[in-house]
Amino acid sequence: MVAVSGGVVFAQAVIVQGNRRVDAEIIRGYASQGDPQKIRQSLLATMLFSHVQVSRRGAQTMVSVQENDTINRVAFEGNRRLKGDVLLGQVQSKARGPLSQQLIDADVERLKEVYRRAGYGLATISGRIQPLPNGRSDVVFTVVESGKTGIKSINFAGNGAYSSSRLRGLMSSTESNFLSWIKTSDVYDPDRINSDLELVRRYYLKNGYADFRIVSSDARFDDAAGGWVVDVTVDEGPQYKVGNVSVDSRLRDVDPAALQSLVNTSAGDTYNAEAVERSLVTLTTEVAKRGYAFAQVRPRGERDAAGQQIGITYVVEEGPRVYVERINVRGNTRTRDYVVRRELDLGEGDAYNKVFVDRAERRLNNLGFFNKVRITNEPGSAPDRVVVNIDVEDKATGSFSIAGGYSTSDGIIGEISLSESNFLGRGQYVRIAGTMGQRTQGVDFSFTEPYFLGHRIAAGIDLFSKYNNNHNIGRFESRVTGGQLRFSFPITEDFSITPRYSIYTTEIKIPNTPARPYNDCTFPIAGITPGTPGAVAAAAGGYNCLSNGEATVAVKEAQGSTLTSLVGLNFNYNSLDNYQSPRNGFVAELKPEFAGVGGDSKFLRISADARYYREIFDDVVGFVRVQGGHVQATSGNLRMIDHYFLGPTLVRGFAPSGIGPRDVLNDPTANALGGTTYFGGSLEVQFPIWGLPRDLGLRGAIFADAGTLFNYDGGSKSIVSGCPAGSEAQRFNVAVAPSQSAFQSNVACVHDNNVIRSSIGVSLLWQSPLGPIRFDYAYALTKDDGQWGTNPQTGIDGKYGGDRLQAFRFSGGARF
């Protein structure tokens, strides 16, 4: 230590006493501050000492210290719900660190907060010091865990346009109820609450409440209630319509009339902040393409409070010439930097544009890779430079799931899948899954690269193999094995085009065993097929090889392996407000396909499916669906396996493959042949069930379906007569055993009726924590009843053909 007196410089000694482990030179370093009180405070702040005394004796500074013990280890007792490694990361007391009662007390409070946020707010925690020899001590935290303490209630005040239950339904945080033992959404998380309130705010702004604001948000732990109570006060303001919409271009060569058509808002619409944001992005992008890199577009609103209208003027003008000096990505411990950077439509050295930065923040949030995303700016090295900081927090994106369920078409089903949406931090999607069921088995693999070759093009490959037991609809078994290569090109935010190439083999087998003699007219089974040694003789009543179930000759012609090489396009439009539970919006898909790029199948196929959703009343959603498709052979006849087979996916109330052409000669109860043309429509209204909490996920629905499937085109027209009335003879390239030729030939009697099938029904939908479950009960209003006639093979009169009904349908699953 150096002192100055009368112009003479001399060394002032620092004498250190009481130190055992801390080096004296380290202590002398703090003594350079001169003031004894500051020296004492600085040394105590290190938490290395429990007592410090500083005094002066002439030219000497005396520093007397008493060291804290050193922590030998930090241990936890009684913690079962939270692992010790998790708790250790939350405390400041560390092994080989200084022992401090003040630090231990602060750690107790930290651990209590950790338990509160994990949903166990009534847990009690205490800390104690266990002395050891040689100046060491153990720090032990004792935890007495409690039952789960979730969010007891979320209360809204000031809302009139939307009910509190509706606003709670927008939030991912939920209230505790009898399902709390299998859900975690009722655990209080302040970050999640803030995100939920932002969802509420955006919902109001999207629905015309431009003046909406959240006045206050208060969360308190209620010991009496045993959980958290969240109180939110809002100020809705009036609902606005869009008034006059115009574009004001202040750029010399940009005509505002040319930009008007790009605006997503129209006069008379309900004001929608999201539509305004989309307009800003579209206009900014278009102006930048015309060479105005620094142009900025800003909305100017003109409120008419009396008429409750907002006139919107999009002002296009030259912005400040500011460049992006640097883009910093921070907080990403797993996700690669380039995965974050590629979501920005600007790079380092480009003109800065806030519209593009805001869009990047929305994109990053929508990726699902991060718990938090925050983009901020700071001044650069010059007035015309700006630094963009992107702060993110990675979250788990992989999942292992075991799913189980039951459907009336496939029976009991189990699935094991492993998926990762941010594979190796590269933003790639990978999934592998295996399925096992009563009537189906399969395995599939999928890989998607969302930015192929550095462009916003999603490229992917799918590999699959699926076995189906079709004994109940066609007396055959099938296995489809193959793969698909696809590319998806986003044209706009809502519209994309996906070219794809598929190649797969379809193997058809017909069981022919004593238990399932479905091919014994061609290959008689001794002792089973009538007419063979040991078998029951064919009776006058008509018992023959068809009586025990026989595959149609159309299936027999199709058996074996078929290779299909197919190219196709998907045109997709999607403006839904929520992909999982849509309330408003339109989604449509058009799929033209051509098979014949090599392979055995030769056909042209096109199908379309469109749905329109509209919220009729608060939480009452209606939707209209139309669908249709057509397939035709481009060479020869169409293979049976390339026809459409439809049932409840077209009209509920009908069995799988229960609609459409059938072979009434060979086995009219099971032999569906499929059709080349179908169309249909559905009306459905979904509504909450009165008296049940919304987060329970139970909803009801009423529906009406109508549609038809017709025109089998697999065989050659035959001049053979004798088919039952209402059916047509078609000949197939099939051989039949001579002993059975009296019962089955190479001719099928095709009953094909294009009558409109229709049904009405009710549904119960449950978005359960274990997976979606749906119950449908439908009553068929109109159907194909078949035709009365005489079977030329048996001579028996009866009803032939007709649809197969299935009033009740259940599908569901569990994921855990």
Side-chain angles (χ1 to χ4, degrees):
M1 184 172 179
V2 178
V4 180
S5 178
V8 179
V9 179
F10 61 91
Q12 184 173 351
V14 177
I15 299 175
V16 178
Q17 296 175 337
N19 59 309
R20 293 175 297 167
R21 294 181 305 274
V22 182
D23 191 272
E25 290 302 320
I26 295 177
I27 298 175
R28 290 190 180 100
Y30 287 91
S32 63
Q33 299 180 45
D35 182 16
Q37 186 62 26
K38 287 184 178 181
I39 295 173
R40 180 178 181 275
Q41 291 175 352
S42 297
L43 288 171
L44 287 173
T46 66
M47 293 191 173
L48 295 171
F49 311 103
S50 60
H51 175 75
V52 177
Q53 182 177 354
V54 182
S55 62
R56 291 276 175 80
R57 294 180 181 176
Q60 294 180 333
T61 299
M62 306 293 295
V63 180
S64 178
V65 299
Q66 181 179 337
E67 293 182 357
N68 280 322
D69 282 356
T70 300
I71 298 175
N72 178 60
R73 69 185 181 100
V74 177
F76 299 91
E77 295 178 343
N79 57 306
R80 292 179 296 107
R81 303 186 186 278
L82 298 180
K83 294 182 179 180
D85 292 342
V86 175
L87 299 179
L88 190 60
Q90 301 297 322
V91 298
Q92 297 297 316
S93 299
K94 302 292 183 183
R96 296 185 298 276
L99 180 67
S100 167
Q101 184 62 52
Q102 180 183 358
L103 195 59
I104 293 173
D105 293 342
D107 284 338
V108 167
E109 295 305 314
R110 290 188 188 95
L111 292 174
K112 287 181 178 179
E113 181 62 22
V114 170
Y115 266 89
R116 286 193 191 100
R117 295 186 63 163
Y120 305 100
L122 295 179
T124 59
I125 301 172
S126 61
R128 72 175 189 273
I129 298 172
Q130 187 72 39
L132 297 173
N134 302 320
R136 295 178 302 133
S137 296
D138 286 343
V139 175
V140 181
F141 294 98
T142 302
V143 182
V144 180
E145 295 182 335
S146 66
K148 184 176 178 180
T149 53
I151 301 175
K152 290 302 180 181
S153 64
I154 302 175
N155 307 312
F156 284 89
N159 55 307
Y162 300 107
S163 64
S164 296
S165 61
R166 175 60 185 279
L167 298 181
R168 284 192 291 267
L170 299 173
M171 305 172 69
S172 58
S173 302
T174 62
E175 297 176 337
S176 299
N177 54 32
F178 65 91
L179 290 174
S180 293
W181 64 280
I182 53 175
K183 69 176 184 177
T184 59
S185 58
D186 61 340
V187 174
Y188 173 70
D189 183 338
D191 293 332
R192 184 166 60 189
I193 290 291
N194 289 334
S195 297
D196 288 338
L197 294 181
E198 176 62 16
L199 292 175
V200 172
R201 188 186 73 86
R202 294 187 67 86
Y203 181 77
Y204 269 96
L205 294 179
K206 186 177 69 174
N207 288 280
Y209 295 88
D211 297 332
F212 174 82
R213 63 190 182 95
I214 294 175
V215 178
S216 64
S217 172
D218 176 60
R220 66 185 189 280
F221 190 83
D222 190 329
D223 291 309
W228 293 90
V229 176
V230 180
D231 296 316
V232 182
T233 303
V234 302
D235 180 7
E236 293 179 330
Q239 186 182 43
Y240 290 93
K241 296 285 186 179
V242 176
N244 182 53
V245 178
S246 62
V247 176
D248 177 10
S249 175
R250 300 176 183 179
L251 302 179
R252 184 175 52 187
D253 299 324
V254 177
D255 182 7
L259 301 177
Q260 188 75 40
S261 61
L262 302 176
V263 173
N264 292 314
T265 51
S266 302
D269 291 348
T270 299
Y271 176 80
N272 185 339
E274 291 184 0
V276 174
E277 291 174 356
R278 290 196 299 269
S279 298
L280 294 178
V281 172
T282 303
L283 293 173
T284 302
T285 304
E286 179 63 25
V287 172
K289 289 178 181 178
R290 300 189 183 196
Y292 292 91
F294 295 97
Q296 64 179 15
V297 183
R298 56 181 176 84
R300 187 178 66 217
E302 299 175 358
R303 280 175 171 78
D304 177 5
Q308 295 187 355
Q309 289 188 339
I310 298 180
I312 304 174
T313 301
Y314 296 94
V315 180
V316 184
E317 59 190 355
E318 191 71 34
R321 291 184 172 269
V322 178
Y323 296 88
V324 177
E325 178 177 322
R326 191 171 65 255
I327 298 174
N328 297 321
V329 180
R330 304 183 300 205
N332 53 318
T333 57
R334 179 168 175 267
T335 304
R336 311 288 180 95
D337 270 24
Y338 69 83
V339 173
V340 177
R341 292 175 183 272
R342 70 191 183 188
E343 296 301 327
L344 280 80
D345 291 324
L346 46 81
E348 293 171 346
D350 290 345
Y352 175 80
N353 194 303
K354 189 176 185 305
V355 171
F356 292 154
V357 172
D358 290 343
R359 178 163 69 168
E361 187 168 357
R362 292 194 297 272
R363 284 175 174 172
L364 289 170
N365 276 307
N366 292 336
L367 286 177
F369 299 166
F370 310 108
N371 286 317
K372 299 181 201 174
V373 177
R374 185 167 178 261
I375 301 181
T376 57
N377 305 324
E378 64 181 53
S381 59
D384 63 345
R385 297 291 187 269
V386 65
V387 176
V388 178
N389 296 317
I390 305 175
D391 293 287
V392 299
E393 180 184 315
D394 281 309
K395 72 177 182 181
T397 53
S399 68
F400 171 77
S401 66
I402 301 176
Y406 175 82
S407 75
T408 43
S409 59
D410 294 325
I412 298 174
I413 306 170
E415 179 189 80
I416 298 177
S417 68
L418 180 66
S419 66
E420 172 59 72
S421 60
N422 189 14
F423 183 61
L424 299 178
R426 302 173 185 269
Q428 299 162 335
Y429 176 80
V430 180
R431 180 179 186 270
I432 185 169
T435 304
M436 177 71 71
Q438 285 181 291
R439 293 187 285 273
T440 184
Q441 301 169 14
V443 62
D444 64 88
F445 170 81
S446 181
F447 173 83
T448 302
E449 166 55 64
Y451 272 78
F452 184 61
L453 298 179
H455 298 282
R456 197 178 289 277
I457 300 171
I461 184 171
D462 306 300
L463 303 175
F464 51 84
S465 180
K466 185 175 183 180
Y467 164 84
N468 278 308
N469 174 334
N470 302 293
H471 298 168
N472 60 332
I473 63 171
R475 310 301 191 193
F476 68 94
E477 300 169 356
S478 66
R479 178 174 291 278
V480 180
T481 303
Q484 175 178 256
L485 185 65
R486 50 186 162 76
F487 299 88
S488 182
F489 297 84
I491 307 304
T492 67
E493 291 287 333
D494 300 327
F495 180 64
S496 65
I497 298 176
T498 304
R500 52 192 168 82
Y501 171 73
S502 303
I503 184 168
Y504 55 89
T505 60
T506 305
E507 186 176 8
I508 301 293
K509 291 184 178 180
I510 303 175
N512 197 35
T513 64
R516 295 187 175 92
Y518 300 153
N519 201 15
D520 63 338
C521 286
T522 301
F523 302 101
I525 303 174
I528 299 295
T529 305
T532 62
V536 177
Y543 182 74
N544 54 60
C545 64
L546 298 178
S547 304
N548 52 20
E550 187 73 6
T552 174
V553 291
V555 172
K556 293 184 177 184
E557 183 184 68
Q559 67 181 324
S561 184
T562 300
L563 178 66
T564 300
S565 177
L566 177 149
V567 293
L569 280 174
N570 285 27
F571 298 91
N572 299 96
Y573 180 85
N574 192 332
S575 64
L576 297 180
D577 57 349
N578 185 300
Y579 292 170
Q580 299 297 324
S581 302
R583 296 177 181 274
N584 292 283
F586 179 72
V587 58
E589 181 179 48
L590 178 66
K591 296 172 56 177
E593 299 171 314
F594 172 73
V597 188
D600 303 312
S601 297
K602 313 288 182 183
F603 61 80
L604 182 65
R605 182 167 62 196
I606 186 169
S607 61
D609 191 345
R611 301 188 187 202
Y612 175 72
Y613 292 82
R614 180 80 176 187
E615 188 168 24
I616 306 171
F617 307 108
D618 184 19
D619 207 23
V620 177
V621 179
F623 79 84
V624 180
R625 180 186 184 186
V626 293
Q627 58 177 316
H630 177 74
V631 58
Q632 67 179 43
T634 56
S635 177
N637 292 326
L638 190 67
R639 294 173 178 266
M640 188 205 75
I641 58 175
D642 295 327
H643 286 69
Y644 292 109
F645 290 82
L646 298 173
T649 57
L650 183 66
V651 182
R652 283 163 285 192
F654 291 79
S657 297
I659 297 174
R662 315 186 81 79
D663 178 7
V664 300
L665 178 62
N666 294 282
D667 189 349
T669 63
N671 280 320
L673 297 175
T676 64
T677 305
Y678 76 93
F679 58 85
S682 299
L683 297 174
E684 182 168 313
V685 177
Q686 299 176 359
F687 49 85
I689 299 177
W690 184 82
L692 295 179
R694 188 176 304 236
D695 65 303
L696 183 60
L698 274 173
R699 294 174 64 83
I702 56 175
F703 62 83
D705 296 339
T708 188
L709 169 68
F710 59 94
N711 190 32
Y712 178 75
D713 189 29
S716 302
K717 300 296 186 290
S718 174
I719 59 173
V720 175
S721 60
C723 281
S727 62
E728 178 185 56
Q730 293 194 21
R731 190 180 300 276
F732 295 83
N733 186 23
V734 174
V736 178
S739 62
Q740 306 298 319
S741 59
F743 309 114
Q744 185 179 55
S745 66
N746 62 350
V747 173
C749 292
V750 180
H751 177 80
D752 191 350
N753 192 338
N754 62 359
V755 64
I756 299 295
R757 285 80 167 176
S758 63
S759 67
I760 56 174
V762 296
S763 301
L764 180 65
L765 296 80
W766 186 22
Q767 195 65 36
S768 76
L770 300 179
I773 298 175
R774 178 171 183 131
F775 304 85
D776 292 320
Y777 182 83
Y779 174 77
L781 297 176
T782 59
K783 62 183 185 299
D784 177 11
D785 290 318
Q787 296 286 336
W788 283 92
T790 302
N791 189 313
Q793 304 287 2
T794 63
I796 298 177
D797 293 334
K799 180 178 285 189
Y800 297 94
D803 298 328
R804 299 179 66 191
L805 303 181
Q806 184 185 80
F808 176 73
R809 188 167 186 253
F810 162 72
S811 63
R815 191 166 297 276
F816 49 91

